[in-house]
Amino acid sequence: MSEPLSQDRIERALQELPSWSLHDGKLRRELRFDGFPAALSFLVRVGLLAESRGHHPEIYNAYAKVTLELVTHDAGGITEKDLSFAREVEAFTP
């Protein structure tokens, strides 16, 4: 099992992930797309990535808005696994 990261480590990582924030103990990113089809396409990519990594984010969708929240539940906090996932999502986010 992964260990939760210190607050200092999380804050340093967020400097490298400016689109992400800390919200209720989770890494959070809100995205807006041109419409539902674009949002759905993004959701599918995130879902496939999550499944391949065995790491499943909390995903919320309302038409063209998608919110991702990352936390490693079994570790009780944000871990390197969450940061790695956020970086991978950034690689294909418009």
Side-chain angles (χ1 to χ4, degrees), residues 21-41:
S21 63
L22 190 58
H23 182 78
D24 290 336
K26 301 173 187 176
L27 294 178
R28 182 180 189 156
R29 170 109 196 250
E30 292 184 6
L31 303 105
R32 294 197 185 273
F33 296 89
D34 289 334
F36 181 70
L40 183 58
S41 176

Side-chain angles (χ1 to χ4, degrees), residues 3-5 10 22 25-27 70-72 77-80 82:
E3 292 295 317
L5 300 173
I10 294 167
L22 190 58
K26 301 173 187 176
L27 294 178
L70 306 177
V71 66
T72 303
I78 296 169
T79 67
E80 285 294 338
D82 300 302

Side-chain angles (χ1 to χ4, degrees), residues 14-22 26-31 68-70 82 85-87 89-90 93:
L14 286 173
Q15 291 175 6
E16 300 167 12
L17 295 164
S19 298
W20 293 79
S21 63
L22 190 58
K26 301 173 187 176
L27 294 178
R28 182 180 189 156
R29 170 109 196 250
E30 292 184 6
L31 303 105
L68 301 175
E69 293 185 342
L70 306 177
D82 300 302
F85 193 87
R87 287 184 197 103
V89 168
E90 286 302 300
T93 300

